[in-house]
Amino acid sequence: MLTRRETPADVSAARAVIAAAFAKPDTDTSDPVEATLLDALRTCEGWLPELSYVAIGEGGGNEVVGHVVCTRGHVDGVPALGLGPIGVRPDAQHLGTGLALMHAVLGAADALGEPLVALLGSPAYYGRFGFRPGTDLGILPPDPAWGAYFQIRPLTTYDPSLRGTFNYAKPFADV
């Protein structure tokens, strides 16, 4: 499997991956919130194309099987990153695709000199990537009810004096 930066040709496939990854198994045919969020993020000022990554399936083609993005967020006005959505096509799950995407986007964010990445997700899953509860670092979630699910991954340029409330790119507030 290969992970690489998303190209303009990957946009519709990346959206399809997110829609499939978050589809409800019932008869609901509406787009998952995560797919519409991705659409909105692409058009907001927080979009960072250099931090939008796809995973390409094995088999020699260019078939997109996974996608992850980080967008511009802030901790009390200081630039930081918000991760998500991240998704893997159902037939490519449990094969290391999500793991590869996480390593790719975190490595790219670190190489760009970003101080930290925030996300909302399972502590059991994301802890393996160095994420820990934001409150442990003095960084509060936009919604206090998120508790330990709001997590921070400090990167190389992280300064422990950076404290405050994290705010995602604007489209996150609309979901």
Side-chain angles (χ1 to χ4, degrees), residues 22-143:
F22 289 96
K24 303 285 188 270
D26 56 20
T27 59
D28 183 10
T29 58
S30 62
D31 274 341
V33 166
E34 294 82 0
T36 57
L37 172 61
L38 180 59
D39 294 341
L41 287 171
R42 287 184 186 287
T43 63
C44 84
E45 65 184 33
W47 182 255
L48 301 170
E50 63 273 22
L51 293 175
S52 182
Y53 274 73
V54 294
I56 305 302
E58 296 180 9
N62 270 334
E63 190 174 17
V64 174
V65 298
H67 179 259
V68 65
V69 65
C70 285
T71 52
R72 177 61 62 215
H74 294 88
V75 177
D76 283 351
V78 176
L81 296 175
L83 189 146
I86 180 173
V88 176
R89 207 171 64 192
D91 64 320
Q93 292 177 359
H94 309 292
L95 301 174
T97 307
L99 179 78
L101 285 167
M102 285 297 293
H103 284 299
V105 80
L106 291 174
D110 196 48
L112 290 171
E114 295 290 342
L116 62 85
V117 178
L119 63 72
L120 183 63
S122 164
Y125 181 80
Y126 291 105
R128 72 182 80 182
F129 300 105
F131 283 89
R132 40 196 245 224
T135 54
D136 289 359
L137 301 170
I139 300 173
L140 306 174
D143 182 342

